[in-house]
Amino acid sequence: MEIFSYETLKNLSYQVFLKMGCPTEHAELAAEALVAADLRGIDSHGVARLSGYVRLWEAGRINARPHIQIVHETPSTATLDGDAGLGLVIASKAIEIAVEKARIAGTGWVAVRNSNHFGIAGYHTLKAVKNDMIGIAMTNASPLVAPTFAVERMLGTNPIAVAIPALHQPPFVADFATTTAANGKLEILQRKNQEAPLGWIQDKKGQPSSNPHELKHGGALLPLGSDREHGSHKGYCLGAIVDIFSAVFSGANYGPWAPPFVSFLPLPSDPVGLGLGHFLGAMRIDAFRPAEEFKANMDKWINRFRATKPADGYDKVLIPGDPEREMETERLENGIPVVESVVTDLRDLAERMGIEKIVTI
Amino acid sequence: MEIFSYETLKNLSYQVFLKMGCPTEHAELAAEALVAADLRGIDSHGVARLSGYVRLWEAGRINARPHIQIVHETPSTATLDGDAGLGLVIASKAIEIAVEKARIAGTGWVAVRNSNHFGIAGYHTLKAVKNDMIGIAMTNASPLVAPTFAVERMLGTNPIAVAIPALHQPPFVADFATTTAANGKLEILQRKNQEAPLGWIQDKKGQPSSNPHELKHGGALLPLGSDREHGSHKGYCLGAIVDIFSAVFSGANYGPWAPPFVSFLPLPSDPVGLGLGHFLGAMRIDAFRPAEEFKANMDKWINRFRATKPADGYDKVLIPGDPEREMETERLENGIPVVESVVTDLRDLAERMGIEKIVTI
């Protein structure tokens, strides 16, 4: 484990995106979106993925200089073609369009096709919050999840994020995979060679498994709820809704056709759309109620939920977004710890691309 | 168990609503919305609740002749005040407004305050589907659910429904409580005096319980995911989002202030808004992509998911909405079975209100 400053990791990412040929503005947007994951403690989606993006670019699957354009629109909606660019950039543009639509129509909704992985969903929603709007973001992803009763991997971990502004309180920010456990949590167990709790994964026959390497042997992640008796059909519904909103609305690849993040896996030979899909939304809070009134009530909501009586052994009940925000404060001050394998990967990447070596704090 | 035709139960409900003083149009809307639950197999939300609605009206908590009005709007949004009317009627009006907004702005979103329970969420979304739109409905409800790490009941079972039209395939209809198990499932176990699976409920100290009567002793329903290790914080996020969209957007009562469905429980003495809240949406599919193209891809999505390889012991993978639609076909043909306690309740109600006795098929 080595510790780097936020600026160091963001600058490294910026330099890498520039070397890929991204325009300056895109490299800035992408670097900020990527390292927001490290900052908020979702280490699986931050610089740990930087070399993965580079490999996708080397494989010709990411276009560093995309012509991102609206291909269809109404007063409150737009469909955006990302021209196979970085999802980090395309989603940043998409939420801006949603915010602009919302200014005039009250709400704005942007379906995105022909994109790639967009980093953490929550990051994009916060741009709406800055404009006194509720932000919504979701994306489909490489198929790793079996529907209830099934053994085939049909859906991605398909996250949903919703961010809601308050007055004196920090915003409510929910950001979660629609599976019982996100893939990043499995990766941690894989590295430590520890067992996974039952309910996270199944083997290739659909039996419960605690082997974190099960996906390499034909196993699958389970939808939120784990099994039918505990509501996995609801997690399957959620993952399916994200898939349809992100990819069927926009004309991207859906379900098992969603392109893999890793460049060594082939693309499906019979695509049903273009690239990966996202769905982003912005709702002006004063489209429903005066903004100050809404935000004062959000403060009251948050204060009341913070005051919920905790169960024995717990000192408090959390508001969605608390852990990530606390992590952000801590890491901005004390730096971001990066595991050795990722540090090596980043140093190799920097050397290979002719970028200055990163140094720890 | 006795079996009644759909028409018999709908007509009884219609007569009851008329006797309450509802205008004809409202009684029709309410009866259709209510009995849609019985038809689709969600028996807990249908005629089993009819006398509950009557008791709320008798207690002065339901206004049979409400002046339902838009109190705030933008091109794609409206805030609707239900004037303490039947949620069954108010939500029917709200989805119509959402559909009209969507015709012009691409999408329409209606936050509703000062309402009561609106029946099953899925029913309302199907009205959008008939207009080649995606329908969305959610509502907050009486607090029965403890957030992750908590022992206090802060949220309702807060359901979400999303209905999506296809071409030759029937629509995709997801409709689910954001808890591991809906309250209706507990009620069935209570009647049969059977144990609940661990993960559905906790006792008043926050310990897992299998006693379906636990809520009477200070226990709580658990958010989808059951416990932290299995993602209950995600179910808590979902329930919270439904609460905020339904009640903070609209100016209704949220969280623990949400009014109880049963008339014998007092209303909170310090309300933070008016009545119960809902949130309904309609998105024109051709606001994103030509409708035929979207629907053809939905057919492809549905066909591919239907063809998912099932696990041993299962013959098929379901598409959200399959079970309810199969039930509807079966019950339209063979009638709707009603348990004896509900039949007695309905017969008492009919007699008390001077309505003709219902007869079985």
Side-chain angles (χ1 to χ4, degrees), chain B residues 13 16-17 20 22 30-31 33-35 37-38 44-64 84-91 115-121 124 139 260-263 276 278 345-346 349 352-353:
Chain B
S13 307
V16 168
F17 292 129
M20 276 170 51
C22 295
L34 184 76
V35 185
D38 297 291
S44 54
H45 284 53
V47 290
R49 286 200 172 171
L50 190 53
S51 64
Y53 284 104
V54 173
R55 280 191 296 270
L56 283 174
W57 166 67
E58 287 167 339
R61 295 192 196 170
I62 283 181
N63 173 5
L86 281 165
L88 300 159
V89 172
I90 299 164
S115 186
N116 279 286
H117 288 71
F118 74 5
I120 52 169
H124 303 292
T139 183
F261 179 70
V262 288
S263 59
L276 215 57
H278 320 307
D345 186 47
L346 292 176
L349 187 65
R352 189 153 63 85
M353 298 188 98

Side-chain angles (χ1 to χ4, degrees), chain B:
Chain B
M1 193 86 85
E2 295 185 42
I3 297 175
F4 299 93
S5 74
Y6 166 68
E7 285 303 332
T8 298
L9 294 180
K10 198 171 74 168
N11 185 51
L12 171 70
S13 307
Y14 173 68
Q15 299 293 340
V16 168
F17 292 129
L18 281 185
K19 290 280 179 183
M20 276 170 51
C22 295
T24 313
E25 185 222 351
H26 285 195
E28 275 169 5
L29 284 173
E32 187 175 313
L34 184 76
V35 185
D38 297 291
L39 206 50
R40 295 174 69 79
I42 302 133
D43 299 352
S44 54
H45 284 53
V47 290
R49 286 200 172 171
L50 190 53
S51 64
Y53 284 104
V54 173
R55 280 191 296 270
L56 283 174
W57 166 67
E58 287 167 339
R61 295 192 196 170
I62 283 181
N63 173 5
R65 304 186 77 84
H67 177 49
I68 303 167
Q69 62 176 326
I70 293 175
V71 292
H72 192 100
E73 65 184 316
T74 72
S76 74
T77 69
T79 305
L80 197 64
D81 186 300
D83 194 19
L86 281 165
L88 300 159
V89 172
I90 299 164
S92 297
K93 298 282 186 192
I95 191 74
E96 273 173 35
I97 295 167
V99 165
E100 287 313 311
K101 292 266 178 196
R103 275 193 219 293
I104 294 168
T107 66
W109 305 89
V110 180
V112 180
R113 73 180 185 210
N114 211 355
S115 186
N116 279 286
H117 288 71
F118 74 5
I120 52 169
Y123 169 77
H124 303 292
T125 60
L126 286 169
K127 292 195 176 171
V129 165
K130 282 181 197 139
N131 292 285
D132 266 5
M133 298 182 189
I134 287 183
I136 297 174
M138 54 188 86
T139 183
N140 72 344
S142 328
L144 297 173
V145 184
T148 306
F149 304 151
V151 292
E152 214 179 335
R153 301 200 293 226
M154 298 291 283
L155 292 166
T157 54
N158 295 7
I160 299 175
V162 177
I164 305 173
L167 192 61
H168 303 298
Q169 288 290 333
F172 169 110
V173 188
D175 182 2
F176 54 92
T178 52
T179 46
T180 300
N183 200 29
K185 293 213 175 167
L186 266 198
E187 288 168 8
I188 294 169
L189 296 177
Q190 287 161 7
R191 273 200 299 274
K192 297 184 178 169
N193 234 350
Q194 288 176 345
E195 294 214 323
L198 286 178
W200 289 20
I201 34 185
Q202 67 180 21
D203 67 15
K204 66 178 174 185
K205 300 212 146 193
Q207 296 300 311
S209 167
S210 60
N211 177 2
H213 303 280
E214 200 66 79
L215 268 67
K216 290 187 197 102
H217 312 298
L221 285 172
L222 293 170
L224 177 59
S226 299
D227 58 33
R228 178 62 178 79
E229 191 169 74
H230 294 90
S232 71
H233 54 301
K234 302 177 183 193
Y236 163 39
C237 281
L238 283 169
I241 291 165
V242 170
D243 191 43
I244 294 167
F245 281 22
S246 300
V248 184
F249 255 158
S250 66
N253 289 292
Y254 41 82
W257 288 281
F261 179 70
V262 288
S263 59
F264 60 82
L265 285 179
L267 291 173
S269 58
D270 55 344
V272 292
L274 296 168
L276 215 57
H278 320 307
F279 189 71
L280 295 106
M283 296 196 275
R284 246 171 55 208
I285 55 179
D286 66 0
F288 293 98
R289 187 178 187 179
E292 292 300 296
E293 205 178 289
F294 176 91
K295 291 198 282 186
N297 276 280
M298 272 310 294
D299 274 7
K300 190 156 186 168
W301 192 100
I302 290 169
N303 287 324
R304 180 64 187 88
F305 275 74
R306 271 200 211 293
T308 306
K309 193 181 167 202
D312 286 351
Y314 297 98
D315 54 335
K316 62 176 177 179
V317 169
L318 298 174
I319 303 301
D322 278 353
E324 293 85 359
R325 194 178 44 255
E326 285 165 19
M327 186 65 89
E328 182 169 333
T329 306
E330 141 77 17
R331 288 186 166 184
L332 274 177
E333 196 169 319
N334 302 318
I336 299 172
V338 183
V339 295
E340 216 44 60
S341 58
V342 175
V343 176
T344 306
D345 186 47
L346 292 176
R347 293 218 161 103
D348 288 352
L349 187 65
E351 195 180 328
R352 189 153 63 85
M353 298 188 98
I355 297 167
E356 210 181 340
K357 257 209 302 216
I358 46 170
V359 290
T360 54
I361 288 185

Side-chain angles (χ1 to χ4, degrees), chain A residues 239-288:
Chain A
I241 291 165
V242 171
D243 192 43
I244 294 167
F245 280 23
S246 300
V248 184
F249 254 159
S250 66
N253 289 291
Y254 42 81
W257 289 281
F261 179 70
V262 288
S263 59
F264 59 82
L265 286 178
L267 291 172
S269 57
D270 56 344
V272 291
L274 295 168
L276 215 58
H278 320 308
F279 189 71
L280 296 106
M283 296 195 275
R284 246 171 54 206
I285 54 180
D286 67 0
F288 295 96

